[in-house]
Amino acid sequence: MNTTTVSGRKQPLVYRLPVISHFRKSVGLQRGMLVTGLVLTVLFLLTTVLAPVIAPYGYAQLSDASGTFPAQQAPGGRHILGTTVGGYDVFSRVIWGSQTAMVVIIVAVAMSIFLGVALGLVSGYFGGWLDRILVVIADAIYAFPSLLLAIVMSIVINRGQSSFWGGILACAFAISVVFVPQYFRVIRAETIRLKAEPFVESAKVVGASSARIMGRHIFKNATRTLPLIFTLNASEAILTLAGLGFLGFGIEPSSAAEWGFDLNKAMADASSGIWWTGVFPGTAIVLTVLGLTLVGESINDLNDPRLRGRKRAGGKTPAGGPDSTAGAQAALEAEARTL
């Protein structure tokens, strides 16, 4: 979304980028939530990219030059987070597990966005019987729990014993099917609103094709809320993969590191006082999901002028004050000008 200054002049491009623009608009608790979410998300991304450098061992490595790794060794020494009952290094599997989670996010959310946006544009623009059928299908899909669907997909694809891509695809298909209706509904509603705008009517008058109108004029304005849905769906993708692994339908440890599967194997350790095999994978899931959720919720609040605070020339004014009202009105006028 293009933002302008109060005088109507465009700000530099770097200030209009999604995360930076939201950070500049945030104050107080909202800024704290956004910064916390960004720190956790950036930490997750860096861990994913630098996993081969950070992890001292491979995700399925059971020995090195010094010999075979001991089973259930307490944190310390060569294994700073201890080892599992199978002899895997906990720290290495937590680090490598971030890559598995990232692949699930990319595959699942990319599929959901592609299908949801395409169907939403077609349904909202053309309407009629096609729109009614797609809306009914979207409503029916909401009845399917994503985790149950992921289990079914896992059994169908690889009979419950997941290879790396088998587990990824099982989770990705489940996430895509369940969350396509979210993108579909958002894009459909925006398309219905935008197709009645004067600039769309003008494009029809000059003879622009439906494909050009949807791709050039409606798509750009209808996809402004996708970053919010993306962050929330990314969190759900990680939870679904972890749930799949926890129930025993996840990726085998010899194929990839996966946090949910490690939690499943750590259940028997808890009663014996061996806490490190479950605490660290669980902490990784919590922090990653928390970071993505905080970013998404902060973006949602800051996109609504009624929920965000406004900076004042000499300081900061909480949302709801007179400066906040004036700032909200200026933001609404700026958004209207971009249309």
Side-chain angles (χ1 to χ4, degrees), residues 22 25-27 29-31 33-34 228 293-310 319 335:
H22 288 95
K25 290 186 292 187
S26 64
V27 294
L29 180 60
Q30 289 174 337
R31 174 165 292 188
M33 291 175 56
L34 181 59
L228 167 63
T293 302
L294 286 177
V295 172
E297 292 296 336
S298 299
I299 292 176
N300 181 47
D301 289 350
L302 294 169
N303 280 342
D304 189 344
R306 298 169 299 178
L307 298 179
R308 65 170 179 254
R310 282 288 173 178
E335 291 175 2

Side-chain angles (χ1 to χ4, degrees), residues 125 194-219 221 339:
Y125 186 80
L194 290 169
K195 73 177 182 179
E197 293 291 333
F199 66 89
V200 174
E201 296 295 334
S202 300
K204 292 180 181 178
V205 170
V206 299
S209 64
S210 297
R212 181 177 177 82
I213 293 174
M214 286 189 293
R216 187 175 181 84
H217 300 288
I218 295 180
F219 174 78
N221 293 284
L339 296 177

Side-chain angles (χ1 to χ4, degrees), residues 13-103:
L13 176 61
V14 65
Y15 293 153
R16 291 183 278 130
L17 295 176
V19 175
I20 297 177
S21 64
H22 288 95
F23 177 79
R24 287 169 57 84
K25 290 186 292 187
S26 64
V27 294
L29 180 60
Q30 289 174 337
R31 174 165 292 188
M33 291 175 56
L34 181 59
V35 170
T36 302
L38 287 175
V39 169
L40 292 175
T41 302
V42 169
L43 182 62
F44 167 65
L45 294 176
L46 289 177
T47 302
T48 300
V49 174
L50 301 176
V53 178
I54 299 174
Y57 309 105
Y59 58 82
Q61 187 174 344
L62 294 173
S63 62
D64 60 4
S66 302
T68 304
F69 298 157
Q72 297 178 322
Q73 178 178 314
R78 292 189 302 154
H79 306 283
I80 58 175
L81 298 185
T83 60
T84 67
V85 65
Y88 298 110
D89 182 69
V90 174
F91 178 69
S92 297
R93 286 193 60 83
V94 169
I95 297 300
W96 286 109
S98 63
Q99 287 194 339
T100 306
M102 177 56 69
V103 173

Side-chain angles (χ1 to χ4, degrees), residues 16-326:
R16 291 183 278 130
L17 295 176
V19 175
I20 297 177
S21 64
H22 288 95
F23 177 79
R24 287 169 57 84
K25 290 186 292 187
S26 64
V27 294
L29 180 60
Q30 289 174 337
R31 174 165 292 188
M33 291 175 56
L34 181 59
V35 170
T36 302
L38 287 175
V39 169
L40 292 175
T41 302
V42 169
L43 182 62
F44 167 65
L45 294 176
L46 289 177
T47 302
T48 300
V49 174
L50 301 176
V53 178
I54 299 174
Y57 309 105
Y59 58 82
Q61 187 174 344
L62 294 173
S63 62
D64 60 4
S66 302
T68 304
F69 298 157
Q72 297 178 322
Q73 178 178 314
R78 292 189 302 154
H79 306 283
I80 58 175
L81 298 185
T83 60
T84 67
V85 65
Y88 298 110
D89 182 69
V90 174
F91 178 69
S92 297
R93 286 193 60 83
V94 169
I95 297 300
W96 286 109
S98 63
Q99 287 194 339
T100 306
M102 177 56 69
V103 173
V104 169
I105 291 174
I106 294 174
V107 176
V109 178
M111 292 172 61
S112 301
I113 290 178
F114 177 79
L115 292 174
V117 171
L119 293 175
L121 284 172
V122 172
S123 179
Y125 186 80
F126 292 106
W129 62 269
L130 178 62
D131 179 51
R132 290 194 292 271
I133 291 176
L134 291 176
V135 169
V136 170
I137 294 175
D139 291 340
I141 291 177
Y142 276 119
F144 291 93
S146 60
L147 184 57
L148 178 60
L149 186 57
I151 294 174
V152 174
M153 287 290 183
S154 177
I155 295 174
V156 170
I157 293 176
N158 43 43
R159 299 182 181 179
Q161 297 299 316
S162 295
S163 61
F164 176 73
W165 284 110
I168 294 297
L169 291 177
C171 184
F173 281 133
I175 291 294
S176 298
V177 171
V178 173
F179 288 99
V180 160
Q182 291 189 9
Y183 294 100
F184 167 78
R185 282 185 167 276
V186 171
I187 300 302
R188 173 183 174 272
E190 285 295 299
T191 302
I192 292 175
R193 179 183 68 83
L194 290 169
K195 73 177 182 179
E197 293 291 333
F199 66 89
V200 174
E201 296 295 334
S202 300
K204 292 180 181 178
V205 170
V206 299
S209 64
S210 297
R212 181 177 177 82
I213 293 174
M214 286 189 293
R216 187 175 181 84
H217 300 288
I218 295 180
F219 174 78
K220 179 175 65 175
N221 293 284
T223 54
R224 295 176 177 178
T225 57
L226 289 188
L228 167 63
I229 308 177
F230 169 80
T231 55
L232 298 180
N233 280 6
S235 302
E236 186 65 25
I238 293 176
L239 291 176
T240 301
L241 180 66
L244 202 62
F246 185 76
L247 294 175
F249 296 94
I251 302 172
E252 295 296 325
S254 59
S255 300
E258 199 275 303
W259 296 330
F261 190 92
D262 291 344
L263 283 177
N264 174 273
K265 295 303 181 182
M267 289 181 61
D269 298 338
S271 59
S272 303
I274 302 174
W275 53 269
W276 55 88
T277 57
V279 167
F280 297 114
T283 302
I285 295 173
V286 171
L287 292 180
T288 303
V289 173
L290 177 62
L292 292 169
T293 302
L294 286 177
V295 172
E297 292 296 336
S298 299
I299 292 176
N300 181 47
D301 289 350
L302 294 169
N303 280 342
D304 189 344
R306 298 169 299 178
L307 298 179
R308 65 170 179 254
R310 282 288 173 178
K311 289 185 178 180
R312 191 170 49 181
K316 296 178 180 178
T317 301
D323 289 340
S324 176
T325 304

